[in-house]
């Protein structure tokens, strides 16, 4: 951003010099500066079209006059092309400005000071008694990355795992547990054993319909707060979470809250009462709904005919509770696009209740489906890829590859650390590579390819920088930036200088993929530079400059990987 502001300041100055009558209010803001599609057209382009009316002059005439006034013999060249002023930094000066800024800011490059704002992020939000499978991979890594991005940009970010811990199925699970289960088997078998109980219940229920009533009765007991029912259910919850925790730990994720659906059991009366008072609750065949016909949506179901509340009722209560508790400025729901309608309905109902913030502050961050090597996931057909297995296999595969490719990782400790970082990094990187709304088909060959658009490729560039820096040691000489005037170095510098804006747009669009791709681009550009230039050879001043470029590249690669939740190995 600083670079943009500097250029903007210079160009405004030039515009005032060329046109003393120009009013400040006629000038566009700094965001008007564009990045030309081709670097031959400059580092920035300033469009003059909006000045044509106040100045009563053709844009190309205006551009020519501003360009003439903007030339800075030591720093930059400005050229008028059509209605644009194309602005070129002098290459050595550009290198110096970019590298000084990155070395000054370090890991805080592109960060912003405390914005005094809070974002609530609802992500991962797994369901109790189910094993964590790749259907929850995207929400987990997207949410985690968004949390890091917001934090980097000066927001207070609250991560909530809105547990799916309420529903009639839990009554059935208790019934099954009472009939066929015991604690020993659950402690030993974990979520898998819970699942098996559930499957067995459904099989036996077909033969013995009395079971259905048994399940219902246990569910009622949970709702009434019966102590036996609750203690069994809470233990189910602990088992599920203990298992999920092993996955979160591997991904470096933690949450600020696990308050999910059940947490709102005693917080829904307020919502229902309020809906009633505001005349929004309509009876509908014994149930109660909010009519959304005028907004071309089906009604939002609030209470079933038996008085039970629903998923939407809980989300309404949760939204109000979060607003009261955290005073958020934004509340993001990282949930698959299948729930588009659900969130549209919930946001609309809040708006109808008079909460204007619902329209501007609540956001459904939707994403596509994940399939695995061409096969869609299906729980019913047992075609399920569990996340712990996926991660374990990724680590194992990364280890096999590195055993061949990285003989320098001879000692077991280094190898197993790198295998974990690379294996898990490959999975996360692939998940966050493309725009979130696109479906993902996960292939091992593609995700773990050290030469593709992958995590390992990007991590390798980082490790390469680390080893170059270790070899360079302490450098005393003054950097000679003329050594960075070549095209390859300039291409790296340009990407580094634009990185802060990538982070802000990633936040604005809730698109971590912008950062994934920009980080990958930095890795590619640096590798190209590395193959065409000898970094540690030649004049001391030139070496010093190239080492600074390497250090800044390492910094930005590490930052980009961090922001998407991927580790940056120093060695691999
Ligand atoms: N547990 C739900 C699921 O797995 C996601 C919950 C998302 N969050 C929410 N507040 N509705 O589909």
């Amino acid at each position: 951003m600083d670079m943009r502001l500097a250029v903007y300041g210079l160009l405004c100055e030039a515009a005032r010099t060329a046109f003393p009558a120009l009013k400040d209010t006629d000038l566009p803001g700094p965001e008007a500066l564009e990045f030309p599609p081709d670097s031959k057209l400059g580092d920035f382009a300033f469009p003059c079209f909006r000045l044509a009316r106040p100045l009563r002059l053709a844009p190309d005439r205006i551009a020519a006059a501003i360009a003439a006034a903007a030339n800075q013999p030591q720093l930059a060249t400005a050229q008028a092309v059509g209605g644009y002023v194309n602005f070129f930094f002098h290459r050595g000066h550009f290198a110096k400005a970019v590298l000084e800024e990155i070395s000054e800011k370090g890991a805080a490059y592109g960060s912003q000071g405390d914005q005094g704002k809070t974002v609530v992020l609802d992500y991962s939000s797994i369901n109790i008694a189910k094993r964590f499978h790749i259907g929850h991979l995207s929400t987990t890594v997207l949410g985690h990355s968004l949390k890091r991005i917001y934090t980097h940009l000066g927001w207070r970010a609250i991560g909530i795992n809105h547990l799916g811990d309420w529903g009639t199925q839990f009554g059935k699970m208790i019934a099954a547990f009472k009939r066929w289960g015991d604690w020993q088997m659950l402690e030993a078998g974990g979520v898998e054993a819970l699942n098996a109980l559930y499957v067995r219940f459904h099989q036996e229920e077909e033969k013995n319909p009395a079971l259905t009533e048994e399940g219902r009765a246990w569910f009622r007991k949970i709702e009434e707060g019966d102590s036996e029912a609750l203690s069994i259910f809470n233990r189910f919850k602990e088992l599920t979470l203990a298992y999920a925790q092993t996955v979160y730990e591997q991904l470096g994720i933690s949450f600020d809250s696990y308050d999910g659906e059940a947490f709102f059991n005693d917080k829904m009366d307020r919502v229902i009462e309020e809906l009633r008072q505001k005349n929004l609750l309509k009876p509908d065949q014994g149930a109660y709904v909010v009519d959304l016909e005028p907004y071309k949506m089906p009604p939002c179901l609030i209470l079933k005919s038996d008085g039970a509340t629903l998923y939407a009722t809980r989300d309404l209560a949760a939204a109000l509770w979060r607003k009261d508790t955290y005073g958020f400025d934004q509340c993001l729901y990282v949930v698959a696009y299948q729930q588009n309608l659900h969130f549209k309905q919930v946001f609309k109902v809040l708006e109808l209740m008079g909460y204007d913030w619902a329209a501007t502050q609540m956001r459904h961050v939707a994403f596509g489906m994940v399939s695995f090597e061409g096969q869609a996931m299906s729980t019913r057909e047992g075609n399920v890829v569990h996340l712990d297995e996926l991660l374990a296999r990724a680590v194992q595969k990364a280890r096999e590859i590195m055993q061949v490719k990285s003989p320098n990782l001879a000692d077991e400790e280094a190898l197993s650390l790198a295998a974990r970082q690379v294996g898990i990094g490959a999975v996360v990187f692939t998940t966050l590579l493309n725009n979130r709304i696109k479906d993902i088909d996960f292939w091992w060959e593609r995700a773990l390819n050290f030469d593709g658009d992958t995590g390992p490729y990007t991590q390798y560039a980082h490790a390469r920088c680390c080893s170059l820096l270790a070899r360079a040691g302490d450098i005393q000489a003054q950097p000679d930036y003329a050594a960075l005037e070549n095209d390859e170095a300039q291409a790296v510098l340009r990407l580094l200088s634009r990185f802060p804006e990538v982070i802000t747009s990633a936040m604005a669009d809730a698109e971590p993929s912008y950062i994934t791709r920009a980080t990958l681009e930095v890795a590619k550009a640096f590798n190209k530079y590395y193959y065409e230039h000898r970094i540690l050879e030649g004049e001391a001043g030139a070496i010093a400059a190239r080492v600074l470029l390497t250090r800044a590249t390492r910094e930005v690669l590490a930052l980009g990987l961090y922001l998407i939740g991927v580790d940056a190995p120093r060695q691999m």
Side-chain angles (χ1 to χ4, degrees), residues 117-126 138-163 248 253-260 264 315 318-319 321-323 325-335 343 347 361-367 436 506-512 562-563:
K117 288 193 185 165
T118 298
V119 62
V120 166
L121 295 144
D122 178 323
Y123 67 105
S124 200
S125 300
I126 52 169
S138 294
T139 168
T140 305
V141 301
L142 273 168
H144 179 49
S145 171
L146 288 170
K147 190 171 178 209
R148 288 189 169 177
I149 293 168
Y150 271 90
T151 306
H152 196 70
L153 295 178
W155 286 58
R156 175 172 76 123
I158 311 282
I160 298 185
N161 198 327
H162 185 79
L163 295 180
Y248 291 138
I253 298 182
S254 61
F255 293 89
D256 300 289
S257 160
Y258 287 89
D259 291 335
F264 295 98
D315 261 332
W321 187 84
R322 289 173 188 176
K323 188 70 178 170
T325 308
Y326 303 111
F328 61 70
D329 300 276
Q330 281 186 21
C331 181
L332 268 48
Y333 297 85
V334 187
V335 185
F343 286 107
F347 299 171
Q361 301 184 341
M362 313 271 283
R363 181 166 185 189
H364 176 204
V365 178
F367 54 83
R436 58 184 154 77
M507 181 175 104
D509 294 349
E511 262 307 351
Y562 172 80
L563 290 175

Side-chain angles (χ1 to χ4, degrees), residues 101-114:
E101 191 186 343
I102 298 175
S103 87
E104 185 190 314
K105 302 255 171 74
Y109 182 54
S111 70
Q112 287 169 6
D114 187 353

Side-chain angles (χ1 to χ4, degrees), residues 260-271:
E261 297 184 35
F263 177 77
F264 295 98
N265 278 341
D266 60 356
K267 297 175 183 62
M268 275 173 298
D269 289 350
R270 162 189 171 188
V271 181

Side-chain angles (χ1 to χ4, degrees), residues 37-252:
D38 181 343
S39 62
K40 288 192 193 67
L41 297 173
D43 298 307
F44 284 101
F46 183 68
C48 298
F49 308 96
R50 279 172 49 183
L51 299 177
R53 187 193 287 251
L55 291 173
R56 295 164 175 275
L57 214 59
D60 54 340
R61 302 266 309 271
I62 300 172
I66 296 180
N71 272 308
Q72 304 273 319
Q74 300 303 314
L75 298 175
T77 310
Q79 275 171 8
V81 176
Y84 285 94
V85 180
N86 289 344
F87 190 90
F88 299 79
F89 286 107
H90 288 178
R91 291 182 157 200
H93 173 72
F94 181 60
K96 180 169 185 289
V98 175
L99 296 180
E100 279 177 355
E101 191 186 343
I102 298 175
S103 87
E104 185 190 314
K105 302 255 171 74
Y109 182 54
S111 70
Q112 287 169 6
D114 187 353
Q115 303 290 302
K117 288 193 185 165
T118 298
V119 62
V120 166
L121 295 144
D122 178 323
Y123 67 105
S124 200
S125 300
I126 52 169
N127 299 318
I128 295 305
K130 293 230 179 77
R131 201 159 153 198
F132 209 155
H133 61 68
I134 58 166
H136 277 85
L137 175 61
S138 294
T139 168
T140 305
V141 301
L142 273 168
H144 179 49
S145 171
L146 288 170
K147 190 171 178 209
R148 288 189 169 177
I149 293 168
Y150 271 90
T151 306
H152 196 70
L153 295 178
W155 286 58
R156 175 172 76 123
I158 311 282
I160 298 185
N161 198 327
H162 185 79
L163 295 180
D165 54 1
W166 184 85
T168 48
Q169 73 271 29
F170 299 117
K172 296 182 184 176
M173 302 203 67
I174 296 183
F177 174 73
K178 293 293 279 184
R179 277 182 173 251
W180 310 298
D182 60 67
W183 287 120
Q184 222 178 342
M185 108 187 207
L186 281 195
E187 301 297 337
V191 199
E192 206 57 31
L194 270 176
N195 242 324
L197 279 177
Y198 192 58
V199 171
R200 177 152 178 203
F201 187 92
H202 276 280
Q203 286 164 352
E204 309 246 350
E205 194 182 15
E206 279 174 21
K207 290 175 273 169
N208 177 7
L211 281 177
T212 312
E213 187 39 46
E214 223 171 285
R216 279 206 197 112
W218 277 108
F219 180 59
R220 242 174 280 127
K221 284 192 178 181
I222 303 181
E223 289 215 290
E224 286 158 5
D226 172 86
S227 65
E228 185 187 7
L230 278 187
S231 83
I232 297 176
F233 180 58
N234 283 333
R235 191 71 199 118
F236 289 176
K237 212 158 142 173
E238 283 165 17
L239 282 173
T240 315
L241 282 180
Y243 162 72
Q245 215 58 53
T246 62
V247 173
Y248 291 138
E249 259 162 39
Q250 294 187 71
L251 295 169

Side-chain angles (χ1 to χ4, degrees), residues 12 19 69 80 113 121 125 177 279 325 359 387 398 418 432 522 526:
C12 289
F19 302 102
L121 295 144
S125 300
F177 174 73
N279 250 329
T325 308
L387 219 45
L432 297 179
V522 170
F526 184 79

